[in-house]
Amino acid sequence: MAEINLIQNIGVSGFIFCALLLILPFMVSYYFKLGIIKKSVIIVSRMSFQLFLTGLLLTVVFDINNPLINVLWVFVMLFFATYTILEGTDFKTGPFLPTMLILFSIANILVLFYFTGFIIKLDDIFEARYLIPIAGMLMGNSLRANIVALNDFYQDVKNNEQRYLYRLCVGASKKEALFPYMQRSMLSSLKPTLANMATMGIVFLPGMMTGQILGGVDPILAIKYQITIMVAIFVTTVLGVLICVIVVVEKGFDDYDLMVEDIKKV
Amino acid sequence: MGKNIIEYRDLSIIHSHQKVLENFNLIIKEGEKVLIRGKSGTGKSTLFLCLLGLMRPSKGDVYFKDLPVNGNSVSVVRTKIAYVPQDVDVGRDSVNEFFDTIFSYNAVGFTPDFEKIQRLLEWFELDDSILKKEFKSLSGGEKQRIILILSLLLERNVFLLDEPTSSLDSSLKSKVVDYFVNDPSLTVVVISHDPQWEREGLRVVDIPNK
């Protein structure tokens, strides 16, 4: 507990001061008629409530620290991550959810346990205090890339459908004809993750590192965690993007290899 | 006469709530040369699309060498036909890269020798330097010739030509028509408004107006 005591508590007065800060954006909104005062009050309240609830739940989960409950928690996270990805795309959520959930679970869990087992070498690889936040970082940070991959890939084929169809006519298999589109969507969805890694430590101190430093951890240990988690995030992102592209190749085309239209949201 | 190569049986196509073709029947035998005529919008090109499985008929069937075109057969059918569409989009590839891509496909299965490409370029009155040019930057007539060259490089016996000579000058038009009509081993179906195609040895099929 000694480590935790290092960090300064935020008291009631702290929260009052924090709320006072919001006056600035409210003034901006009022002056520019942005109309976001009410919306931001609702969203900040919602965020606080969600985080408060998560805090309570995590306290309980960390306390019990039962491997089964921890893994179950990870699965609930996976479900919401998959759901959020699909909601962010042009595709209907229903037909994609089961396949995506299974594939994402496999990819994320593999990376997750590789990380806790081989990289940080935990005695208990299911330990909640490590497992749950790391799972959250892996999923949360690969989310955007997955959405981009899903949207870009299908849209790119749609925009250049004639080129795709001509290749089929010449005798390309579906995978051969789609290969350049797969390459393009993978590259464009991975670009932000790569750029993010390239500027790390120069432009900003990443959240995990900041948290650990605030928690009293030696900066060198904090960067060790940061380096390894970034690699794990990159790997999860690549796997996630691969899964997205494969699922669209399998579900987005019919037995004639033509694009299926009714998988899109109406 | 030889075997049936292409058969349309009671084919109907409804496209955006409009009847494009109704109860269309046609048998094309091996070695036949068929000219399909009709006003635009009468569904000439859709006949090609149905055979290649790029469009599903609303009713009726299409057969290729007595094999119904469906989800199981379509990928094989596509590898047996040399299709020349009116327009091809190859992105930002050069002619060379375009050829390389096509001949990298497993089902195509071979790479043409450079001498053959050169011979065809010469025959079509094109200079070797065109291979390095971006396909998109070519003129309509040059594009058309490149697509024809590609269709010939594929070494297939069944040709579906959709307005293949529209942008060529008249002497080259006659040369291309001669080539396709005079080779008895080729089965050729052509959609064209060019009078050069209306000659002896060619069967004319008129698609009725709706």
Side-chain angles (χ1 to χ4, degrees), chain B residues 38-50:
Chain B
K39 291 224 169 80
S40 55
T42 49
K44 300 186 299 288
S45 298
T46 55
L47 285 174
F48 287 178
L49 300 183
C50 286

Side-chain angles (χ1 to χ4, degrees), chain B residues 35-97:
Chain B
L35 172 65
I36 295 182
R37 288 190 311 194
K39 291 224 169 80
S40 55
T42 49
K44 300 186 299 288
S45 298
T46 55
L47 285 174
F48 287 178
L49 300 183
C50 286
L51 179 60
L52 292 161
L54 299 185
M55 188 187 263
R56 288 166 194 265
S58 316
K59 194 172 90 34
D61 290 297
V62 187
Y63 295 84
F64 180 77
K65 297 190 175 169
D66 296 323
L67 198 73
V69 176
N70 56 35
N72 294 322
S73 65
V74 71
S75 55
V76 177
V77 172
R78 285 174 186 151
T79 61
K80 305 282 181 213
I81 294 173
Y83 170 48
V84 174
Q86 291 187 34
D87 196 15
V88 171
D89 166 21
V90 306
R92 269 184 289 178
D93 282 358
S94 69
V95 175
N96 239 336
E97 288 164 333

Side-chain angles (χ1 to χ4, degrees), chain A:
Chain A
M1 290 308 275
E3 244 176 57
I4 291 165
N5 286 338
L6 279 175
I7 197 158
Q8 184 72 31
N9 185 33
I10 298 176
V12 179
S13 64
F15 270 96
I16 293 172
F17 275 111
C18 179
L20 281 177
L21 260 186
L22 284 171
I23 291 174
L24 287 171
F26 290 171
M27 278 161 66
V28 173
S29 174
Y30 181 78
Y31 185 80
F32 285 99
K33 296 188 171 56
L34 302 179
I36 57 161
I37 297 181
K38 197 176 151 197
K39 201 176 163 189
S40 41
V41 169
I42 292 172
I43 287 176
V44 169
S45 319
R46 219 184 90 167
M47 174 188 75
S48 311
F49 179 71
Q50 284 170 3
L51 287 175
F52 183 67
L53 210 67
T54 312
L56 276 182
L57 270 169
L58 282 178
T59 311
V60 176
V61 171
F62 284 9
D63 234 27
I64 303 172
N65 196 19
N66 175 311
L68 216 68
I69 295 177
N70 298 348
V71 172
L72 191 74
W73 182 282
V74 171
F75 271 109
V76 172
M77 288 166 76
L78 273 165
F79 177 82
F80 280 109
T82 314
Y83 186 80
T84 313
I85 290 169
L86 287 168
E87 280 298 290
T89 68
D90 308 330
F91 297 102
K92 286 179 187 164
T93 308
F96 283 87
L97 193 62
T99 326
M100 292 277 259
L101 185 58
I102 292 168
L103 293 173
F104 273 138
S105 301
I106 295 170
N108 275 282
I109 291 203
L110 274 178
V111 179
L112 185 60
F113 285 120
Y114 188 93
F115 194 83
T116 55
F118 295 120
I119 297 176
I120 30 181
K121 294 200 179 86
L122 290 179
D123 291 331
D124 170 16
I125 57 166
F126 296 104
E127 191 173 343
R129 207 159 55 88
Y130 289 89
L131 196 70
I132 291 167
I134 290 167
M137 288 198 71
L138 295 184
M139 288 174 217
N141 286 288
S142 55
L143 215 75
R144 237 194 71 80
N146 292 321
I147 293 174
V148 172
L150 274 172
N151 277 342
D152 278 16
F153 177 56
Y154 197 79
Q155 200 51 48
D156 193 19
V157 185
K158 184 91 221 151
N159 292 344
N160 301 294
E161 200 176 358
Q162 201 209 9
R163 198 183 310 169
Y164 168 67
L165 295 178
Y166 180 71
R167 287 178 177 149
L168 283 184
C169 285
V170 178
S173 67
K174 177 174 73 175
K175 288 198 181 81
E176 285 172 328
L178 290 174
F179 195 74
Y181 302 94
M182 294 181 178
Q183 278 180 318
R184 264 206 299 275
S185 70
M186 283 190 192
L187 278 178
S188 71
S189 57
L190 292 177
K191 240 180 224 160
T193 312
L194 287 170
N196 196 7
M197 281 204 280
T199 54
M200 193 137 289
I202 301 171
V203 183
F204 69 102
L205 286 187
M208 185 197 203
M209 208 172 132
T210 313
Q212 285 184 318
I213 292 173
L214 285 179
V217 171
D218 166 33
I220 296 297
L221 182 57
I223 61 137
K224 284 184 192 165
Y225 268 85
Q226 191 60 45
I227 292 167
T228 49
I229 196 80
M230 281 316 292
V231 172
I233 287 170
F234 182 55
V235 174
T236 315
T237 308
V238 172
L239 291 178
V241 166
L242 179 71
I243 289 166
C244 290
V245 169
I246 290 173
V247 169
V248 177
V249 170
E250 292 306 319
K251 294 204 174 257
F253 298 83
D254 62 16
D255 55 338
Y256 279 51
D257 299 335
L258 306 179
M259 300 186 86
V260 178
E261 284 300 327
D262 65 357
I263 55 164
K264 305 266 275 187
K265 286 191 188 108
V266 274

Side-chain angles (χ1 to χ4, degrees), chain B residues 6 13 30 68 89 103 120 131 135 142 173-174 176 187 197:
Chain B
I6 300 164
I13 295 161
E30 190 169 18
D89 166 21
F103 287 98
L120 280 164
L131 291 172
F135 181 83
E142 286 172 326
K173 271 184 214 229
S174 304
V176 171
T187 307
W197 288 95

